[in-house]
Amino acid sequence: MMNIRIPVHVTLDSMHGSHGLRHDDFKQYHMYCTRRLSRLRHHKSVRKDLVHSSAYVAGEKTKRNAFCARDVPDGNVDHENFLLVLLVDTERAWAHSNELKALLHEQLPKSHQRSKSTPSKLRKHAVRRLRRAKQLSIKFKDLCEKFADDTTKQESCAYAAWMSGNLALEVNDWKVACDEFHTAISLCLKLAQQEKNLETSDIFASRANNVLKPLLKYCQYELKEAGGNLSNMFEESETNGNKRENTASALVYRGQTVDVANKSLKVLLLKAESLQADLPEEEDATFLSLLSLYDDAQAIVARDMQNYSAMKAGPLVNAKRAELENISGYVKQKKLELSMTHHERMISSCEKVADFAHLYDSLLQDARAMCNLPGPEEEDEFFLEANANVLRVRAFRAFYVSQLYATLGKFGEAVVLIEQSKYLADQASEEIAACDEMEKADEYVDELERLIDEIGAIKLRIQIQACIGKNSLSSTGDLFSRLNQFHPVHNVAELSPIPLPAKPAFFDIAWNHVNTFPRGDLQSYVDKRKNRSSSNLLGWFQRG
């Protein structure tokens, strides 16, 4: 006995995806099935048993190449075309039935008008074709039970149940339709769980969820409206075919639990986790080993994502792509956190301003990359924490870059940057305080408060430095010791001259004594002295 393998639902998906069914053009699909049947029957391995021609029928005394009705034999099935002929013939009968039902809602063509076809005749014809499709599907299932493998048997049973349900639906036998659609859904979901290929599994799950379940719901509703009993009927399962057996370990990324199915990736992540737990504070070799592990894990994820990107989109394939995106985000997050921790440790041992600025620049790149990790569209707690960390790093970077500008004599730019640093530090403190679950939140807030206090002193030093014209914050001596030194490079203040009377203290004392004398005597004395004039050179010395 042969075990013929026919991917029934994959074949149907390929046939239904083209040839007019996307646009409900059942006539075009009917014609395609007719042509496909002819090709299948004329295959050299089966033509002597399947071709409708008297030339291939032994003992037939008719005209040459006359039509002879021939059915698929029940025994001696040694080629897959015997089964495919039944499958395609069933599809042709089903398509013809739907083509006739479509004519009921349209204006009849002239060929039907001449034949005096009425809606009742068309409906009866459509039912007959559906009944023929059911008979062929049952025969297809029986032959698969004898000559096909186990998977093909289950697929043929699901297909025959769907076709039987279509006939029961058309004749308003709601109870039978519910039973048949229930059987088809159960078999499709079972096949979806057993199938290892995600694309094929998607086909089974999509057929159960998008084709069969709507039909079942409609039949249940009509049965309920007709007064039928649903207590012993099928209760819809919550299983949608997306749940597959998985014993993989899980990781948590941005509030989502993600399963790791790849064994190589699982080993790398576990090794990195154990190595990071024992990471010494000053061990560059271990740090480089961890980076290498995360790079290898990212390469595995990228390869898997490339494989799934070539697959046809479907519920399971899309879910797997989203799962790999989350795993990729998790690996990148761990690598960035490791790099940021390493940079923070290096910052704590720095002494030069240029080294601080360089390390905070690298730290800022990692912090911004953390904000761009894949995740949900709406802002979650992870994004808010990453954004607050970016503001914190920007505040420190602007603080040290401003001091670099000051050492180069660019005091205007230095003042602007120090003010920007204070603005960013205030914003970062507010954002970090709003993040309830952020690690080291209190430590970060204390650092920012100390930074804000230091910013005021540094800003004042830069402004004084700009006034005295020095090129660096470190100069010889303090300001008090240089009070008597004059530097004409910069003016401390622009003051215009103010007119002042000569010897003001002398005239103030004289005015106090003048008030003790009589005003009349003083006026006469002044007049006498005013009228006197000198015409020679020594006249000024003669005044007395």
Side-chain angles (χ1 to χ4, degrees), residues 6 22-23 64 119 124 126 134 151 162 175 181 206 249 262 273 324 344 351 359 373 378 411 416 424 427 447 454 461:
I6 296 180
R22 284 187 177 181
H23 314 288
R64 184 179 180 183
K124 291 179 180 179
K134 177 185 175 181
T151 304
W162 172 62
K175 179 69 169 56
F181 288 138
S206 299
S249 60
N262 192 307
E273 184 178 354
L324 288 174
E344 294 276 6
E351 296 180 357
L359 287 174
L373 291 177
E378 62 276 1
F411 304 109
V416 172
L424 291 172
Q427 272 195 329
E447 288 181 356
E454 192 175 356
R461 291 177 63 186

Side-chain angles (χ1 to χ4, degrees), residues 534-543:
S534 176
S535 58
N536 55 16
L537 181 62
L538 300 177
W540 187 80
F541 296 101
Q542 296 176 358
R543 293 175 184 175

